[in-house]
Amino acid sequence: MVQQFHDSVYAIVQNDGEYFQHFPVGNGVKQGCVVAPTPRLQAKTKVHEAIASDFLFADDCALNASTQADMQRSIDLFTRACDDFGLTISTNKTEVLHQPAPSTVTLSRSINIDEEVTFRIAKASTAFGRLKQKVWKGRGLRLDTSLKVYRAAILPSLFYACETRTVYTRHIAFHVRCHKTWLRVKWQDNVSDTEVLQRAKMESIHAILMCPQLRRAGHVHRMDYGRFPKRLLYG
């Protein structure tokens, strides 16, 4: 069925209501078609480069490099490959993304996620602060209403792309501190963190983080072994 999307395909041009004679399409793929990069995972080799190359679109491609020289070399190689297949690179649609962006802290290249955790907590803290007067210190809001706002506005910023993340002490401290704020619990009250979460009817950070991680693991586990995410997980 997938092969039929590419073989024996005919196209027709319409101009101001007039149809021209149809003609065969000998190469290329349908614009926006989700099956355009047809996988070729029948190879028995275990070379990862051969598998990852199947995820390149014929009309859309992303090149990664660590330095400007490496990027230029990748572009030169990609240009020669496109010439061999009769493809043309559109310079008007080509964009260069620099990571990390100047004067910002996002993803790090180290072996830990300290910078990412700090960045996510800062984002969540900003969102929490904007709602401080209207929600957390506002009068007349029920407990379950504040809890729904916290789940909808704060937790997504704190746990963005958390499926492969571990729990940090800073996560726990921020989580409990937020609940102490809208429950109006002071440190002089000598209330434990467990009791604070019980009063707020909120799960612990470990339980919250476990849900998306188990959900993602379940999706990957149910995939066929030929799928790239499952090979990465079980590799």
Side-chain angles (χ1 to χ4, degrees):
M1 183 181 68
V2 175
Q3 187 176 358
Q4 291 177 356
F5 279 98
H6 305 279
D7 295 344
S8 302
V9 176
Y10 287 82
I12 192 170
V13 177
Q14 178 186 7
N15 182 26
D16 194 20
E18 180 183 359
Y19 291 92
F20 294 89
Q21 186 177 2
H22 63 274
F23 57 91
V25 179
N27 55 17
V29 297
K30 292 185 177 181
Q31 179 69 27
C33 181
V34 295
V35 296
T38 307
R40 299 183 305 276
L41 299 179
Q42 290 81 12
K44 298 181 179 180
T45 176
K46 294 184 178 180
V47 179
H48 289 187
E49 289 80 4
I51 299 176
S53 64
D54 290 325
F55 287 83
L56 296 177
F57 282 78
D59 60 347
D60 194 6
C61 177
L63 302 177
N64 298 319
S66 301
T67 64
Q68 184 176 354
D70 290 341
M71 176 57 70
Q72 185 62 56
R73 179 177 179 274
S74 297
I75 293 177
D76 293 339
L77 294 174
F78 186 68
T79 301
R80 289 199 292 268
C82 289
D83 292 339
D84 293 338
F85 287 92
L87 300 177
T88 303
I89 299 177
S90 175
T91 55
N92 294 330
K93 295 183 178 180
T94 302
E95 297 180 357
V96 178
L97 303 180
H98 184 267
Q99 176 67 36
S103 303
T104 61
V105 178
T106 50
L107 299 178
S108 69
R109 300 179 61 86
S110 60
I111 59 174
N112 56 58
I113 59 172
D114 290 344
E115 295 183 6
E116 287 88 337
V117 171
T118 301
F119 181 75
R120 297 318 318 172
I121 292 178
K123 283 288 188 180
S125 180
T126 301
F128 187 86
R130 291 176 178 175
L131 299 173
K132 187 174 183 180
Q133 298 300 328
K134 293 184 178 181
V135 179
W136 318 126
K137 289 190 175 182
R139 300 291 181 179
L141 285 180
R142 295 167 46 184
L143 178 62
D144 57 344
T145 302
S146 300
L147 183 60
K148 290 179 180 178
V149 173
Y150 182 80
R151 290 183 181 275
I154 310 303
L155 288 183
S157 298
L158 183 63
F159 289 123
Y160 177 78
C162 66
E163 287 80 1
T164 57
R165 191 183 301 174
T166 57
V167 177
Y168 272 51
T169 305
R170 284 173 285 168
H171 283 130
I172 302 174
F174 174 80
H175 184 57
V176 176
R177 186 170 64 251
C178 289
H179 288 76
K180 285 183 177 180
T181 298
W182 56 278
L183 288 175
R184 296 179 176 82
V185 176
K186 300 180 180 179
W187 65 270
Q188 297 94 333
D189 298 333
N190 293 325
V191 179
S192 65
D193 294 348
T194 303
E195 185 176 350
V196 169
L197 295 179
Q198 290 176 350
R199 291 184 184 180
K201 299 179 181 180
M202 172 63 71
E203 306 89 347
S204 66
I205 282 292
H206 297 84
I208 297 174
L209 189 61
M210 188 180 299
C211 291
Q213 290 181 344
L214 290 177
R215 184 165 53 248
R216 176 183 180 276
H219 290 324
V220 177
H221 177 72
R222 289 187 292 271
M223 292 179 180
D224 295 333
Y225 187 76
R227 296 285 299 276
F228 193 58
K230 189 166 186 177
R231 291 193 177 190
L232 287 177
L233 181 63
Y234 286 89

